[in-house]
Amino acid sequence: MTFPFRTVFFISVVSPALAWANGESAPGSLTLPTITETANRTGNTGLTSISGDDIQSRYGSLQNYLKSLTGMQVQHSGGLGDPVLLSVRGASGRQTTMLVNGVRINDAQGGGYDLSQIPVDMIERVEISASGSHGGLYDSAIGGTINIITRQQEYQNQIAAAVGNHGYYSASARGNISNHISVYAGSEYSKNNFDYPVPAPWNGDARNTEESLDNAEFFRHTAQLAATTGDITSQLSWQHQRKNIPDYFRNSPVNKAHYSTREIRFTTSNASASDSEGFQLPWSFALSHKNESYRDPESSIGLGEDDNRYRLRHAEVTTSPQWRSGKLTLRSGVRAEFDDYQSRYVNDEDSRECNTLQGSCDQTAKQQNFNLSTGADYRISTPWITSANIYHRSYHTSNERTHAEDAARTEDKSSFTGASASLSHISAISEIALSARRSVRIPSLYERYGDRGLMLGNDDLTAETADNLSLDLRLFNQQSEIKLSVFARETKDTIVPIYDSRGVGRYLNVSDSTMQGVEVELVHSERLQEITLEPTLSVASYTSELISDVRAFDGKQIPGIYHDRYLFGLTAYYRRHSLALDYELAGNLYLDSGNNSEGDVRRSLDLTYQFEQNRWNLRVAANNLTNNQFRDYSNRPVAGRQIYVSANISF
């Protein structure tokens, strides 16, 4: 499904007239969610920030909030507990950088992350950058950067609980146990037994008969301890989750396949840099350890009885001194990351010697990544700000077979230099920024060395690089806001999986790509006696092309991205009540690199009611209200209608 580009152009021209039709706002009784498009600490535009409390009350989850944004596409591959990735401005999930408290959580092995792993009531705020010149990891991301700040010091204690269909329930508590220490603990569970059209049912029913999925349960337990002493804040978090893996093809009742993880993470840092004059020295340190396991004792999913163990360890240290005097800010940064990955295939007799073509080998892989950056911001005059940054990234990876006589050790060293620059103008009613940056994505250990019985390694992979140019405009008054973004991106050495006639695959640098996009968003607030109405309308339209020596790819559009997407929302506030309606229409999606399989048109309607008192609130949400089970990114029908009732009490 393709939406005409002229529709986007029409909205971008007509929207300003609609937005300024009224001039003065009147607040409702409820506290409306506050999403701010703010300058960063040195004045550059392009950082969007929203509090975790607003996300929880209005959207219920981080992924629901992100999918409401114009340039964001949330890529969910199944029911609760299945991976949730994020595309920013048409970039892939792996080209998007995810940070928690400023620490990268894109794991070195797979290169991805799972948005759903951070419970929404554990979030203090979320910072989003899709463009601009901010320095450090914000500039090195090809797509965009999401920084999730978890809670540090609670202003009040809170207990929350929720129930939903498909056997869902959750509970959490957070609060202070002293003036310097706060705690969070939460748990959620779902049977995930939604109806699914099974291609070849186990019980002999007709093909594509809808059945409740077996063995799809999920649970997650999360805890965090945060301590603040002076300028230093430390957080210790622990998480255990397990996702049973259904047999989507047969829905076997004897299936017991499941994937589980246990992770512990520690971060500590001093206060962030501020706008004060003089020299400042922000720093941070982080450690994490994750154990993963995949088991399929009945051979229901794979070709054998799987008992696979994986271990990932990460360490990171960062310091970013800066000096400010008058109109000039100078900054620099040093970031060092160390990753270690090990795999063990207990039931695979050949995993020690690794003589088969598939990548199921006991192996150890390591990666060291060093990032040096320097930059400056200069306020030309009161409304004009210019910024420039340059960074150099070097990395060293190695891999060897852990137990084989022939360790087949391989290693690679490489480096990359990138830069960004922006010119912005900020006034009382507008923000405009022109920015450019050159970014990089380092191949993951999985892409470089293969693993998990799926892919062969490729030591010759080089990093993906991209040049981004964007123009971002924001106009606003007390009642209305308009955003217009126009961008172009050229990516070199795109990494894609290639499979031979035997079904054995490996990742290759096979193509370059270009993408151009226009994103328009209109938000308005209107007071009608005691009712406040807030309509929103946004459109994103992209055009892209692959340039490749592989004929199956050449001239095709980039797969895995909706190239046309409309969002419409309407929220009504009356005293302590609110009712929100959100509709998404998206199309022009291909699911494979050759653009041979087109995804369904995405039509999704969400309805949310909220009642808020001083110390408690009640929320009822129906996601995908019309139960439209379109085929999404995984090329399988989505879960369909999901209904949740949640409440929280503060004291």
Side-chain angles (χ1 to χ4, degrees), residues 507-527:
Y507 284 92
L508 298 174
N509 297 104
V510 299
S511 61
D512 300 335
S513 65
T514 61
M515 173 171 280
Q516 302 82 39
V518 176
E519 299 170 353
V520 182
E521 182 179 357
L522 170 64
V523 180
H524 182 68
S525 181
E526 184 67 33
R527 178 78 169 180

Side-chain angles (χ1 to χ4, degrees), residues 362-366 398-403 406-410 449:
D362 296 350
Q363 59 178 290
T364 299
K366 296 181 180 181
S398 63
N399 183 79
E400 63 181 21
R401 298 170 178 175
T402 308
H403 303 105
D406 177 11
R409 180 178 174 82
T410 59
Y449 301 121

